[in-house]
Amino acid sequence: MSICTFSQNQRVSSKINTRHHINRRHFLKTGIGACTLLALPQTQASSFTMNERKLAFLNLHTGERVNTTYWAQGQYLSEGLTAIEKVLRDHRTGETYEMDRNLLDMLQLVQYKMTSQNEFHVISGYRSPATNAQLNANSSGVAKRSLHMQGKAIDIRLPGHALSDLHKAALSMQAGGVGYYPKSEFIHIDTGHVRQWHG
């Protein structure tokens, strides 16, 4: 599921220097959610470099870390994606799953908006159907058809930054779902329909 779609008549105005930044055609072709980038003020959008995309995660359940480039030179890198997916696996079953590339790009953009290079602390990445069913049976806060089961959702916090600021940054993208869980100290981000809620 793409974050958003554009009609052929829509145009993206940009003065981005193509030597250092992705141009419009390449941008639409290579995958970061177009509406996500357009949600930024023009000055921020034009300064968001796209030569490489890197992410760092700490899985709070396993203690495993990854800090890797997952996109470079116009394409996603299988080695980086595999490393991320291993850390974001279902820690209860050990199952890995292909994470939505748009979700990773959204996280990259959130990090950019937070002006942070800190690693994301992960409460929940991929969930197997069995794990999700178990959690759903024990908690009203776990959706029966959670997007975690499709690699399209993640629950995170960003050390060194207030959770409220992380929440605002995620909302400002106006792309996908954003859940705010201040008591549990995390936010949920997914690539489903645009919506928000408090848990």
Side-chain angles (χ1 to χ4, degrees):
M1 178 186 298
S2 61
I3 297 176
C4 68
T5 57
F6 283 83
S7 70
Q8 293 181 346
N9 293 329
Q10 287 177 293
R11 295 292 182 267
V12 179
S13 62
S14 173
K15 295 182 180 179
I16 298 175
N17 183 332
T18 56
R19 289 183 58 193
H20 301 289
H21 303 285
I22 195 163
N23 62 28
R24 176 184 179 273
R25 179 178 298 176
H26 191 56
F27 168 73
L28 293 174
K29 178 181 178 183
T30 55
I32 192 169
C35 64
T36 301
L37 186 57
L38 289 177
L40 287 171
Q42 187 173 357
T43 55
Q44 291 187 43
S46 64
S47 63
F48 184 53
T49 59
M50 300 296 236
N51 294 326
E52 329 184 286
R53 303 175 197 166
K54 297 181 178 181
L55 285 171
F57 297 100
L58 167 64
N59 187 313
L60 296 179
H61 298 284
T62 67
E64 294 174 311
R65 282 185 159 94
V66 63
N67 185 343
T68 188
T69 299
Y70 70 93
W71 185 97
Q73 298 181 345
Q75 62 184 353
Y76 291 97
L77 307 178
S78 59
E79 184 176 349
L81 293 170
T82 298
I84 288 172
E85 288 160 3
K86 180 181 178 183
V87 171
L88 299 186
R89 71 186 183 279
D90 184 331
H91 70 275
R92 293 175 176 83
T93 67
E95 294 176 61
T96 60
Y97 195 86
E98 182 176 310
M99 298 302 292
D100 187 347
R101 302 335 185 216
N102 281 334
L103 180 64
L104 300 181
D105 289 339
M106 287 170 67
L107 291 171
Q108 167 106 134
L109 187 52
V110 166
Q111 194 169 52
Y112 169 80
K113 291 169 73 67
M114 297 292 292
T115 63
S116 173
Q117 295 183 350
N118 295 347
E119 64 187 2
F120 287 105
H121 284 191
V122 180
I123 290 86
S124 183
Y126 169 66
R127 284 187 209 144
S128 67
T131 291
N132 198 76
Q134 179 184 355
L135 294 175
N136 174 260
N138 296 321
S139 173
S140 60
V142 176
K144 187 174 183 179
R145 298 180 180 178
S146 172
L147 290 175
H148 283 278
M149 295 188 293
Q150 301 175 41
K152 295 176 182 284
I154 192 168
D155 299 335
I156 54 167
R157 61 180 69 119
L158 188 60
H161 299 274
L163 191 68
S164 58
D165 291 337
L166 183 60
H167 178 233
K168 290 174 185 175
L171 286 177
S172 71
M173 294 189 299
Q174 300 180 8
V178 178
Y180 186 43
Y181 297 84
K183 291 183 179 179
S184 301
E185 298 183 5
F186 73 85
I187 68 165
H188 166 105
I189 297 177
D190 67 49
T191 58
H193 297 300
V194 177
R195 64 210 188 285
Q196 61 175 289
W197 66 94
H198 282 218

